Amino acid sequence: RFFFEISPITSLFTEKRVIEGRFLGISPEGKFGFMDEQGKVVIPARYVDSDDYFSEGLVGVTETGVGEGNGLVKKQGGWFFIDSMGNTIIEGPFEEVNRFTEGLCWVKQYGHWGAIDTEGDWVIQPDIDSRPGVFKNGIARINLLRDEGGFLKEQYVMYYSKSGYAAWRPFY
């Protein structure tokens, strides 16, 4: 997944990863930026962290501090999303984010997970405690643990549809 190369065009970056036809460059200062297939810097290296690839035209990155998350940008204490030209599309701030799939992305805000669309509008309000999986065929899976007094009582798998419908069933 990683490869190293030294050339006059890309000497600004010490390490690169291929991402959806673009490169994610890592500068000598450890900042992330993006360049195209010809080595032209498209988005300057100013992010502290970034997802591995653009998903549905968006990627998460962070400008200050390192937070948790998958494919994200942390802006003034929270993750946000940019497009392939570096424009901020969804400001957040979010504590964590997943990547976009099927037009939706799970994001964590105020300690709970919910789903937003590519415009940043809530589709599923943030009221889920466990980190959800990505949507596949219109369904996202969430593993939930219920404990009593610190002891595991039951484990559940919950499925959420893109419309917010939740179906529960025991997981054994």
Side-chain angles (χ1 to χ4, degrees):
R1 197 163 170 161
F2 288 91
F3 67 95
F4 297 88
E5 175 184 322
I6 302 297
S7 73
I9 294 175
T10 61
S11 61
L12 172 65
F13 300 98
T14 56
E15 183 178 336
K16 299 187 301 286
R17 289 182 271 181
V18 177
I19 304 175
E20 264 184 37
R22 294 187 178 270
F23 293 105
L24 166 63
I26 303 173
S27 76
E29 295 81 33
K31 301 279 182 156
F32 291 79
F34 297 85
M35 57 187 156
D36 64 17
E37 298 89 347
Q38 288 74 41
K40 178 183 172 198
V41 175
V42 178
I43 301 172
R46 66 175 182 243
Y47 301 108
V48 173
D49 201 0
S50 171
D51 193 10
D52 286 344
Y53 59 88
F54 284 85
S55 177
E56 300 189 20
L58 300 172
V59 67
V61 292
T62 180
E63 293 175 324
T64 59
V66 176
E68 299 177 33
N70 240 353
L72 337 171
V73 178
K74 191 173 185 175
K75 184 176 185 179
Q76 298 172 348
W79 294 102
F80 65 98
F81 291 92
I82 60 171
D83 66 13
S84 61
M85 298 308 294
N87 301 310
T88 299
I89 302 301
I90 302 172
E91 295 232 1
F94 304 111
E95 297 164 26
E96 295 182 56
V97 302
N98 259 341
R99 62 185 47 97
F100 277 91
T101 55
E102 299 185 14
L104 297 179
C105 178
W106 290 104
V107 296
K108 187 175 184 181
Q109 195 171 57
Y110 306 115
H112 301 286
W113 290 90
I116 59 170
D117 61 19
T118 56
E119 303 294 317
D121 296 322
W122 291 104
V123 176
I124 300 172
Q125 293 298 314
D127 64 358
I128 301 167
D129 294 330
S130 298
R131 183 186 187 104
V134 297
F135 284 96
K136 184 174 182 180
N137 298 320
I139 301 291
R141 177 183 167 138
I142 305 167
N143 292 323
L144 300 171
L145 301 175
R146 190 181 84 168
D147 65 75
E148 290 183 10
F151 296 97
L152 178 63
K153 176 78 174 171
E154 297 175 87
Q155 183 173 358
Y156 291 94
V157 172
M158 183 171 108
Y159 295 92
Y160 257 90
S161 70
K162 289 169 63 172
S163 62
Y165 172 76
W168 293 75
R169 72 173 172 86
F171 177 78
Y172 300 98

